[in-house]
Amino acid sequence: MPETLITNKPRDVQAINIAEDTLALRSRTWDRLKFEVEYSLAKGTTANSFLILADKIALLDPPGESFTEIYLAKLRERIDINKLDYVILGHFNANRGATLKALLELAPQVTIVCSNPAAIALRQFFENQKLNIALVRGEDTLDLGKGHELQFIATPTPRWPDELCTYDPKTQILYTDKFFGAHICNDQVFDEGWAIYSEDRQFYYDCLHASQAKQVLAALDKLSEFQVKFYAPGHGPLVRYGLTEITHLYRKWSEEQKSKDLTVALIYASAYGNTATLAQALAKGISKAGVAVESINCEFATPAEIQAAVEKCDGFIIGSPTLGGHAPTQVQTALGIILSTASKNKLAGVFGSFGWSGEAIDLIENKLRDAGYKLGFEPIRVKFKPTDVTLQECEEIGTDFAQALKKSQRLRTPRQTVSAAQSDRTAQAVGRIVGSLCVLSARRGDVSSAMLASWVSQATFNPPGLTVAVAKERAIESLMHTGDKFVLNILAEGKQLRKHFMKNFAPGEDRFAGLETQEASNGCRILKEALAYLECTVQNRMDCGDHWVVYATVENGQVLQPSGVTAVHYRKTGAHY
């Protein structure tokens, strides 16, 4: 198996002065922290917390339980914990709750500042324990003294309905929690040379925010009212040098999502976060195929909001946990709205996670089938936490669902017949560009994939390098980021291997079943019947419309059939493969 994580460095916490009276406590790990989609590039992460040392002391966003012990040790080096006045939460979950619980044992006098949805989750987590909670309503402020009169901005999203941003006018720092972050780990506190983070920031946005573009735009409008020196996000480097750029890109990406022709309503509830993680993976697969996603967290959405989303969508997917053998009340309400609102020609889907049984998934599936809806995929049933392989399969299912919607739209659109003389002469000319037929195989951890490729070209002599174009909706696309490894299997003339890889693979299906392969030194698969192979590492990639153009350097290679001839793909048109 290829090495994808740097595991020889211990976790640590840095304490860095970033402004007057203000410290950043950066909890760092070079390992992958969670099995969630946004962590899948496996570049580690930095969980950012912040300490404002004014007349009163405020701590913002303590990290999750992976860092609890070393984080509290670092905090006690910096302050007398008995003098801590406030803990401000950008959002709350059980993972963060473990650290908060340990902190409150040391400092029971602390007042927790949060939104009302966060307060509800806090009381459930701490059960009967008495908490000092200060609820943020509207545009509330908190005066810490020395000019640090904090201003709070509610920025709820379906994934984080309790989201709260905080602005400090003294330092002009905007604490953005889930906005403008990236899951990477290094020594940089600020984003000097910010362009090197562009790919990581876009990946983070695509995983977390593409499916809630409407709410992101609303948040951007609110945040634009403040004069900001830099963003202090919950993960990754602080955003100073690329502040204007990332703000512009968040708006651009969100507006692009809203302007897409087709939309899927992704309706779910999540008891422990597992169903929400599945929803994220589905959303990523759908959006990479060029279809917009509107996420609806039915625990917080109103019936009117659910109905409006169902009426305007082109397809819908509903997800639920199983609690006590049933779907939560909010999911049952949403299902009732769907059954009474959504036309029967809308493609549907069902997913969910469960602990010991999955009755909620069966209930939803049976109700939809009995009502006459067509399901775009077999219901997804995941026990406990999803794995990387499960999330990759969900992403592929989402892509297939989006492609089915696009196909049905094309079938409904009247086709115009044209004579050969009227056909696109430019497309015919482009089609005369030929390329060698290759099979691209990639692997990251337990996730692997492969695809047939013909848009391949040598790009450099020194170092030896090549480019390959990968359609954004391909399953392998998620394994073709900077630093990823792959093998380019160059095919010999003959149709056997070509035919095998031209078929449509089911989500999660083994692309190499029935073929003779061996493992390359980078962990990817070599086809023994290939003409030659090259072991490559992705150096960068460029967004080119409906494809990524990936540049990779070649570390190793071998000709397997010295007398063979390279297979070439000839096309009549440049409008398709």
Side-chain angles (χ1 to χ4, degrees), residues 154-177:
T155 52
T157 65
R159 186 71 173 87
W160 297 281
D162 57 345
E163 184 69 70
L164 191 70
C165 294
T166 303
Y167 177 69
D168 185 349
K170 174 72 175 288
T171 57
Q172 296 183 330
I173 299 174
L174 184 60
Y175 300 94
T176 57
D177 194 41

Side-chain angles (χ1 to χ4, degrees), residues 460 463-466 486 535-539 551-556:
T460 53
L466 57 87
F486 68 89
E535 297 182 26
C536 308
T537 299
V538 177
Q539 299 301 325
Y551 170 70
T553 51
V554 179
E555 277 90 35
N556 189 25

Side-chain angles (χ1 to χ4, degrees), residues 171-296:
T171 57
Q172 296 183 330
I173 299 174
L174 184 60
Y175 300 94
T176 57
D177 194 41
K178 286 296 182 180
F179 296 105
F180 311 120
H183 284 301
I184 50 180
C185 184
N186 57 25
D187 293 325
Q188 260 187 265
V189 178
F190 289 94
D191 61 337
E192 300 95 333
W194 56 267
I196 63 174
Y197 299 116
S198 296
E199 182 180 335
D200 300 293
R201 285 174 171 169
Q202 183 168 1
F203 183 80
Y204 181 90
Y205 173 91
D206 289 342
C207 290
L208 297 184
H209 296 305
S211 63
Q212 47 191 24
K214 180 172 68 175
Q215 291 82 6
V216 171
L217 287 170
L220 290 174
D221 288 341
K222 290 183 179 181
L223 300 180
S224 67
E225 299 175 7
F226 299 91
Q227 187 173 351
V228 178
K229 186 173 289 185
F230 60 85
Y231 294 143
H235 297 283
L238 310 188
V239 183
R240 170 183 282 168
Y241 303 97
L243 187 147
T244 300
E245 180 73 14
I246 192 62
T247 305
H248 166 74
L249 286 173
Y250 260 57
R251 187 171 293 279
K252 174 177 174 284
W253 294 332
S254 298
E255 288 173 345
E256 286 174 350
Q257 289 296 322
K258 285 190 66 181
S259 66
K260 289 178 178 177
D261 294 333
L262 297 173
T263 302
V264 172
L266 185 58
I267 303 164
Y268 68 93
S270 188
Y272 303 104
N274 297 331
T275 305
T277 298
L278 298 175
Q280 257 178 248
L282 285 165
K284 188 170 186 292
I286 294 166
S287 59
K288 73 188 261 186
V291 173
V293 181
E294 182 174 359
S295 286
I296 305 290

Side-chain angles (χ1 to χ4, degrees), residues 352-374:
S353 64
F354 56 94
W356 306 108
S357 59
E359 292 92 345
I361 305 165
D362 299 332
L363 166 73
I364 297 169
E365 176 193 2
N366 293 335
K367 291 280 188 182
L368 291 177
R369 289 192 189 278
D370 291 345
Y373 292 100
K374 178 184 177 183

